[in-house]
Amino acid sequence: MTAALLLVMAALAMAGWLCLSPVRLAAAGAALLIVHPAPTLALTAVAVLAVTVAGVRLVSRSLRDGGWYLVTVQRPTYVVSRAGGVAA
């Protein structure tokens, strides 16, 4: 039990160390792709599917909840003054 816990903690520490640098992560991905292409392609497909599903859910929820606006411009309401100009 203790050995398994240490192994899991070491794997998590190694994954964290790899993810700290995009260069290390890309090198590890390239090495994994060369050594084991099938699992790498499967993990890539699962990751693409997960990101796509999350994006579709985000957009559909935003549209359903009252619209989706990339840019919202809010202008102050101006009042026309009695003197003929515009007052803030």
Side-chain angles (χ1 to χ4, degrees):
M1 178 68 178
T2 305
L5 183 62
L6 287 175
L7 184 61
V8 168
M9 295 301 285
L12 286 174
M14 179 60 94
W17 179 77
L18 280 174
C19 291
L20 284 176
S21 169
V23 174
R24 284 192 298 242
L25 189 59
L32 186 61
L33 184 61
I34 291 168
V35 176
H36 299 289
T40 304
L41 294 176
L43 286 173
T44 303
V46 168
V48 166
L49 181 65
V51 169
T52 303
V53 168
V56 168
R57 287 183 66 201
L58 175 71
V59 169
S60 64
R61 282 184 181 176
S62 296
L63 288 173
R64 186 175 57 236
D65 290 342
W68 191 39
Y69 306 100
L70 293 177
V71 177
T72 302
V73 177
Q74 295 181 353
R75 295 189 175 123
T77 54
Y78 292 109
V79 178
V80 178
S81 73
R82 293 182 190 168
V86 175

